């Protein structure tokens, strides 16, 4: 049941964003949010990109499918169906968000930051497509913030050349490379995450 899944993992009191060195807990994401995202028949690019990032964080591999835009019958990598099957349909996905503690390697962090530098993948664009997806976007944004005592991530583009990535991504020439989002946007996501922690979910025993 939705209530049982939402209450499966109760966040520690006072837990929250990256400011205290701990990982964000996904406290603002609900099963209703996940169901709303999953129900999208033709998700717009910002939603697709968001789920691609989530697949990378949870080590979900893409599948190859025909590229409708290719006259030569080429294949493209697709993350949407794997995301719907292995993440959005997973009854324990909320718990995995709240307990996520996997180390994020420098190459993976660098690759995900390229998504955040795409003008299509902003908090506003994602929110306009789906308020539910915006909660998940904030979780990823806070997750990518470097701890205060960590050195900057090294450039790892050479290691990522062969990695599949969203085919529609076009990086803007003047995009900043130091942070996944602007400082105000990241701070807003962190504040939203902190606010969500203050409301402890009510656990309901599944029938």
């Amino acid at each position: 049941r939705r209530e049982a899944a939402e209450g499966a993992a109760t966040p520690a009191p006072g837990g929250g964003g990256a400011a205290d060195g701990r990982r964000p807990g996904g406290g603002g994401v609900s099963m209703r949010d996940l169901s709303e995202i999953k129900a999208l028949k033709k998700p717009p690019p910002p939603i697709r990109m968001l789920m691609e990032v989530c697949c990378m964080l949870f080590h979900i591999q893409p599948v190859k499918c025909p590229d409708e835009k290719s006259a030569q019958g080429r294949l493209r990598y697709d993350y949407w169906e794997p995301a719907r099957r292995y993440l959005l349909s997973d009854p324990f996905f909320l718990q995995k968000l709240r307990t996520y503690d996997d180390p994020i390697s420098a190459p993976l962090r660098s690759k995900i930051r390229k998504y955040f530098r795409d003008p299509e993948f902003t908090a506003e664009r994602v929110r306009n497509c789906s308020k539910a997806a915006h909660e998940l976007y904030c979780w990823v944004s806070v997750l990518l913030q470097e701890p205060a005592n960590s050195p900057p991530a090294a450039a790892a583009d050479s290691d990522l050349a062969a990695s599949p990535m969203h085919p529609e991504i076009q990086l803007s020439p003047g995009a900043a490379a130091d942070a996944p989002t602007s400082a105000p946007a990241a701070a807003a996501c962190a504040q939203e995450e902190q606010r969500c922690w203050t409301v402890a979910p009510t656990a309901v025993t599944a029938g």
Side-chain angles (χ1 to χ4, degrees):
R1 295 178 181 177
R2 180 172 66 86
E3 294 87 352
E6 288 184 14
T10 301
D20 59 3
R22 285 177 289 183
R23 292 292 178 86
V29 185
S30 67
M31 285 298 294
R32 180 178 298 178
D33 293 333
L34 300 182
S35 297
E36 179 181 321
I37 299 172
K38 180 184 175 182
L40 296 173
K41 299 298 183 182
K42 294 183 178 180
I47 306 302
R48 281 186 172 273
M49 295 165 73
L50 174 63
M51 295 315 302
E52 287 178 20
V53 169
C54 289
C55 283
M56 294 175 195
L57 290 171
F58 286 94
H59 313 290
I60 304 298
Q61 298 299 316
V63 296
K64 290 183 178 180
C65 61
D67 187 352
E68 298 84 356
K69 298 180 180 180
S70 173
Q72 292 77 25
R74 296 178 179 176
L75 299 178
R76 63 178 177 85
Y77 288 102
D78 179 66
Y79 282 94
W80 177 243
E81 286 306 321
R84 293 181 75 247
R85 177 178 297 182
Y86 299 113
L87 295 181
L88 299 175
S89 298
D90 184 354
F92 299 103
F93 186 44
L94 277 182
Q95 182 176 358
K96 292 176 180 178
L97 289 176
R98 292 168 179 165
T99 60
Y100 188 89
D101 198 30
D102 290 1
I104 303 178
S105 66
L108 178 58
R109 190 181 296 273
S110 176
K111 182 175 184 178
I112 293 176
R113 281 179 167 173
K114 289 184 178 181
Y115 283 76
F116 280 91
R117 296 198 298 271
D118 189 296
E120 282 287 332
F121 195 59
T122 64
E124 182 178 1
R125 290 290 184 90
V126 174
R127 188 190 300 111
N128 289 340
C129 294
S130 166
K131 292 182 179 179
H134 180 255
E135 298 287 353
L136 192 55
Y137 179 95
C138 283
W139 178 82
V140 175
S141 179
V142 176
L143 185 71
L144 287 181
Q145 292 184 39
E146 290 280 6
N149 57 350
S150 295
D157 292 343
S158 59
D159 297 332
L160 302 172
S163 300
M165 192 172 176
H166 196 285
E168 297 180 0
I169 287 184
Q170 299 291 335
L171 299 184
S172 54
D178 294 333
T181 59
S182 64
C189 286
Q191 291 176 0
E192 177 69 13
E193 188 71 27
Q194 182 68 28
R195 179 187 65 78
C196 294
W197 276 108
T198 61
V199 181
T202 303
V204 179
T205 305

